[in-house]
Amino acid sequence: MMTFYKCEIKESANLVSVTVYQQQDSQTDWYQQYKRHCNSFNRAQEIAEQEQKARGATDYAWQTIIDTREFIQ
């Protein structure tokens, strides 16, 4: 059984949120494991990278989703 991770980076109001979800295998639901807010998109990317390393997730098991609707002006 393999663990998969999904990291969502979204902007809401003046904050950028980083949310990490975990899935035990492709047959189970995603569960929120971590959420953090920061002030910039660059910092959010750093947090996502740190979380991937902390969990020992390979690039295959880690997916980062960036909601760019608010970033593009």
Side-chain angles (χ1 to χ4, degrees), residues 42-60:
N42 288 339
R43 179 67 181 130
Q45 287 183 302
E46 290 173 7
I47 292 168
E49 290 173 7
Q50 290 170 358
E51 288 303 311
Q52 180 180 2
K53 288 178 185 172
R55 287 167 170 72
T58 63
D59 288 341
Y60 176 78

Side-chain angles (χ1 to χ4, degrees), residues 5 8 15-16 19 21-22 27-28 32 36 40 44 46 49 51-52 56-57 61-63 65 70:
Y5 299 92
E8 293 181 346
L15 293 176
V16 181
T19 309
Y21 299 90
Q22 179 178 340
Q27 304 300 316
T28 61
Q32 182 177 326
R36 184 163 171 192
S40 72
E46 290 173 7
E49 290 173 7
E51 288 303 311
Q52 180 180 2
W62 185 271
Q63 177 184 22
I65 300 167
E70 300 296 326

